[in-house]
Amino acid sequence: AAATAAAATVAAPAVGSAATTAARAVGRATKLGVATGAVGALTGGCVGAACALPLALFTFGLSVPIGMALGSGCGLATGSAVGASVGFIDSLRQSVGR
């Protein structure tokens, strides 16, 4: 049983290898993408609600939550895309710079 377990284990990639670099880049892109996506959703919701306020008189206030939802969605998508791209590129730049 010990022989099969030892044969089934896979060696970790060496530091500086392509697999390690890719794993770090994906990890940093994920962390930064989530963080900037949350900030983008909050900011987009505030901006969307503010832009919908002038129309609230004509729509009996229904434009405010709709504007907030649209702004949050756009902010989330934009923030996540920008954050993930910056995190990925920065991680690769640091790996190549070593």
Side-chain angles (χ1 to χ4, degrees):
T4 57
T9 58
V10 178
V15 175
S17 70
T20 304
T21 302
R24 284 183 182 158
V26 169
R28 182 171 289 194
T30 303
K31 286 189 281 188
L32 206 56
V34 168
T36 56
V39 171
L42 180 66
T43 305
C46 293
V47 170
C51 289
L53 277 178
L55 298 174
L57 295 173
F58 305 110
T59 62
F60 301 108
L62 290 177
S63 64
V64 176
I66 291 171
M68 183 181 283
L70 290 173
S72 292
C74 291
L76 176 68
T78 304
S80 296
V82 169
S85 299
V86 168
F88 188 76
I89 291 169
D90 184 52
S91 180
L92 290 179
R93 185 184 57 80
Q94 286 181 357
S95 295
V96 170
R98 276 196 258 179

